[in-house]
Amino acid sequence: MRKEGKGRRKRKEDKKRVVVSNLPFEGCSHKENPNRHYGGNQIKTSKYTVLSFVPKNIFEQLHRFANIYFVGIAVLNFVPVVNAFQPEVNLIPICIILGVTAIKDAWEDFRRYKSDKVINSRECLVYSRKEQSYVQKRWRDVRVGDFIQMRCNEIIPADILLLFSSDPSGICHLETANLDGETNLKQRRVVKGFSQQEAQFKPEHFHNTIVCEKPNNHLNKFKGYMEHPDQTRTGFGSESLLLRGCTIRNTEVAVGIVIYAGHETKAMLNNSGPRYKRSKIERRMNTDIFFCIGLLFLMCLIGAVGHSLWNGTFREHPPFDVPDAKGSFPPLALGGFYMFLTMIILLQVLIPISLYVSIELVKLGQVFFLHNDLDLYDEETDLSIQCRALNITEDLGQIQYIFSDKTGTLTENKMVFRRCTIVGSEYSHQENAKRLEIPKELDSDSEEWTQYQCLSFPARWAQGPPAMKSPGGVQPLRRCQSARVPIQGHSRQRSVGRWENAQSSVAFSSSIEKDVTPDKNLLTKVQDAALWLENLPDSRPAKASLSTTSSIADFFLALTICNSVMVSTTTEPRQRVTMPPSTKALGTSLEKIQQLFQKLKLSSLSQSFSSTAPSDTDLGDSLGTTMPTTDSEDRDDVSVCSGGYSTDTDGGYRSSTWDQGEALASGSGTSLEEVLEDPALGPASPELCYEAESPDEAALVHAAHAYSFTLVSRTPEQVTVRLPQGTCLTFDVLCTLGFDSVRKRMSVVVRHPLTGDIIVYTKGADSVIMDLLEDPARVTDTDVEKKLRKIRARTQKHLDLYARDGLRTLCIAKKVLSEEDFRRWASFRHEAEASLDNRDELLMETAQHLENQLTLLGATGIEDRLQEGVPDTIAALREAGIQLWVLTGDKQETAVNIAYSCRLLDQTDTVYSINTESQETCESILNCALEEVKQFHGPRKPERKLFGFRLPSETPPPASGATVPEVGLVIDGKTLNAIFQGKLENKFLELTQYCRSVLCCRSTPLQKSMIVKLVRDKLSVMTLSIGDGANDVSMIQAADIGIGISGQEGMQAVMSSDFAISRFRHLKKLLLVHGHWCYSRLARMVVYYFYKNVCYVNLLFWYQFFCGFSGSTMIDYWQMIFFNLFFTSLPPLVFGILDKDISAETLLALPELYRSGQDSECYNPLTFWVSMVDAFYQSLICFFIPYLTYKDSDIDVFTFGTPINTISLATILLHQAMEMKTWTIIHGLVLVGSFLMYFVVSLVYNATCVTCNSPTNPYGVMEVQLSDPTFYLVCFLTPVAALLPRYFFLSLQGTYGESLISKAQKIDKLPTDKRDLKIQSWRNRQMPAPVPGEAQRTHRPVPPVPEQDFRASTPKNSSPPKQKCKENRGVHGERSSRDHRRDDPSSADSSAKLSSKDHLLLGPNSRMASGAYPSGQTDEYRRSSRGSHRRSQSSLTI
């Protein structure tokens, strides 16, 4: 028992890491240090050393089957009985191939070695007990348990636990761009108990033991505790861990102890590098190589049998048959076996050894042209396409399914505040909507406007160049100059100035996002609410929670406080703002300021001020603060921004706002002198900058700022908010519960400075917050109960309206806690934070205890704008035959509206929505939907294949004569769970086969990757995933091709992708043009290689019939080596890199041409076997015409072989010329040069080689042949006869070819004007006829669904009369177009009318109360209140 207990304890301890200070062991033996078992900080990403390179590289290269084959052949040739050539000569080709690849690998690894050396040699400050101070050490000498001191703008050398920060509140600011690409600053805080240090941190006084988890690759997860000498424990998490590779920002000094070093750091554990993917062509090629091996064995078998039969015809051994050492002859069967092996060596070139190297070189060339395409370069971000996986470029031309994220991929991820609802009243912000309708004009004016906006006033008036100085007097590095993570692939040199101006590290700081035009109705109510708030200590209302005024005040306080937005000035690190809770600033009129703006001609700004507030102290504050400062010292503190972006060291997701807020509504006035005395508005903060971790948060802070609720400062303990009157309220922050994807909400617990109440402000997804609200039934007062129900219902109605408009919705709520309740909860929370086991579960439990019984304040609608060119790109991809699925975590209504606006769904589409948690219900819905779709489209016959080649399918015509409507499918995450758990994948996929697009909403990252794998594996199609965030990484890695968008959500998607682009619209040219070219070139090059080698090898095979199957050759072996390595290697390379079968303009104008790649028209079993037959035919001609010419003559064997070699070279090069669709000088030079090089090399070789290949020698053979007229005649006539069938076939194909590619090639040859007309007429023919009566809905009967399905999906704990059934059981059609009922919120939920005679399918999304309908009526039909713009719907409600 004791042993078992010990074993269990040991296993538990194995999961922990214990770290102590190294200082007590400094100077002692290494064995005495308890930290000695942990790895050092030196890193090594290179694969080889000088000694291990040769064996390791050869071992890696032998993973490729062809290399093993050729090494085996070379070794076999050393066996004397079977050798066909000189063994040493036979090694040359494989050595060259392995050598070229080894040199490439060595060069890449040397680059990695140099990079490692630079990183390991960086210096940092490590505390030394001997020196009693921090000393410089190299990164590689840092050890776990060392104390490191870091300064502003320094890169962190290891994973360090933060123990001290010069920031008074114990905060250290990090930029994680090197880790995940995100430029917004993250806060890390000192471990509890260490933040109250007045002086510098003293490492000698640190005697605690740190216990934490073992090294792992979770960047955002870390837990542990610190055990003090008195046995007490303090818990800490990822908020106290500084990760290797991040950069310290806005913090003068930070000190910490090393927890993980070197390869155990989280950054290194995440650095897996790009993974190897095999392209579809490579997989097809491996199959064909096996066919070639089969062919080789067949030819060798014929040779072996022929040799035995021929030898059997002799009664006694012929004189040329040499006996072995004992004078005996091997039996015929053994002789045949030896000949079989000899023939393998002889005909080995049938497997194209140089094909693999050629493919790698061609792909490098293709990537070079891809990277240098200016159309794929984004000027705004100064980024071109990055190719991170060099081996799958051709797969870009064969994509059949695209899986796309929505936010940041289809949309800009620029969040713009649009409208809000507060306690049931909706504020539509019409003026704001009008302003946003003309974004182009706004953006075009933004440069001049933002120059003024980013500068403080003195800088605008003083024309001298302002300097930037850090408080210490030393100019720190700008953030955009900090070290970036090296991304594999090509990079272009950036213009630093251009980059800083246009793409500073400030994300989302365009005027569109920052400027919010307030709603006039709400503005007056906000002023009343601010006055109410100011008088709160004098008169506290009894029912504060239900008064509109108090709710408006709380709503805007929640927007300002409930977030993680950091406030900083452009020049100073964040300072702890300590001010009285209420510092009143009196206001003055705006007349003088408005005159100033008229002089500056900033009409838009002036209008913003006048419309925002009747009077504006804030601008007065700004002027008063900065006007007198004209000397150069004070001007140094002014932030200078050009192009609308700040270029200082703060960066992050920051928006620069006017110094103390642009719009403060106030009824009273102040003088400029009084303002100077306000501690909040002093010279320490010339300009406020907001840095948020998500664009949604910044949008809400800017919205509150527009109504003059301005976030002034934030520390871990306090948040200061300035009210419209200029009053500053400082709230004590008691606890912050950050946002996470499980809870989908964030809460902040604060103490109100005026009332002393403890208030919880919560914001989050409406689907979550609505379930956490206080139950109105518990309220004793019936009037209050009615009001609560009314607020809740109207807010829900507004949320539905926002979702239909494609807005992202967030609910805002609050809760007042008693002191006792909070104290109890806080101790529970503290225990959870200090525990090491089940810490996450305990923290989640504490959050759930706090976030319940909430009071609803209101909701917001934020617009995520569509990226430019998305609708056109989607339309083109659909024309190209690519299925597009959108996989998003967003709300269903929002995703559907975005789908309509980007043409993913059309007004005339039949849209099915499936929302259910029950597997039985899901199955019955899928069956009903499939049955209905098949009535119109007819059953889908499976694809017929012949030898893996797709044949045209015969789909029966649709049942009705009218044009069949397109089908769309909308499905949510719960339904996906039901599908995966209920084994309904096949039915789901069958239904999606009929759909033109599929939307999966509320899906998790895991579900995204599962869907991609399901479609890829079950349908055997080529898939592409595109996304921009960390939540898209698994989906990107699951697809055949993963594309990351280097957007606003960091670089994690890019780091795990195969290609990285900056805009979704670039996908159009990337696939339709470059994808088509890469596939077409490479596929035809591979087919050509197979043809070339089979054609050449067959010449040797035919010769065996005339030399007694002896394994001898009529061509010199050196000539055979040169033939493949030099004479015929360059033309295919040029062909594979430069050939264009169709121009880029035509490919973009006619997207359906892309289908040729999807159908593998250039390289499939048919094209492969046709080229094999052609190769056999050509080899017969090339061998037998010279044979018949020289028959019965007395020429020697090499004189017979030289014309055959020359003829075959001419034929193979001319065949290549016929395949080329583009002709440039390079093509001509390479073809002619290869042919001439053959003659030059042959003449030199034949003139100098006297005893190269004893006993027969090629000396003087070529010289003799060139003097013979017969040679010229044979060399001219034979290629013509050999190529005649191919020429005839190509002529017929060009004249009568019906394929799209043939037609497009003809169009390409026309003059530009005629070509454009032809393309236009083609497109007109392709356009579908309009659907007759497209606005009409049709009613079709559906088999009734058994009632038990309905019950099965009802949650067990729901009470039928009251609880709403959360899933929409059924297939719901979507609502009417997006402008529908925008101005009339009351009509958003048009009343449902049951139609008894319509045994229907049709009805929009609605929540059904279980038990709301009689048992017989399981169907309902709704009509939207407007009939003009209705979408064709087909929906099944169960």
Side-chain angles (χ1 to χ4, degrees), residues 823-854:
R823 202 176 296 114
R824 210 178 307 121
W825 179 85
S827 67
F828 183 21
R829 180 78 178 178
H830 183 71
E831 283 175 28
E833 285 174 342
S835 69
L836 193 59
D837 301 323
N838 304 324
R839 185 173 190 262
D840 295 338
E841 291 82 357
L842 289 170
L843 289 176
M844 184 69 70
E845 199 179 323
T846 59
Q848 287 167 352
H849 275 288
L850 185 73
E851 297 165 330
N852 54 28
Q853 303 297 309
L854 303 174

Side-chain angles (χ1 to χ4, degrees), residues 922-933:
C922 188
E923 186 172 7
S924 59
I925 292 168
L926 289 172
N927 287 334
C928 292
L930 267 170
E931 194 172 314
E932 185 178 322
V933 169

Side-chain angles (χ1 to χ4, degrees), residues 252 469-476 571-573:
E252 291 300 310
K469 196 191 279 183
S470 71
V474 183
Q475 183 175 5
T571 54
E572 301 285 332

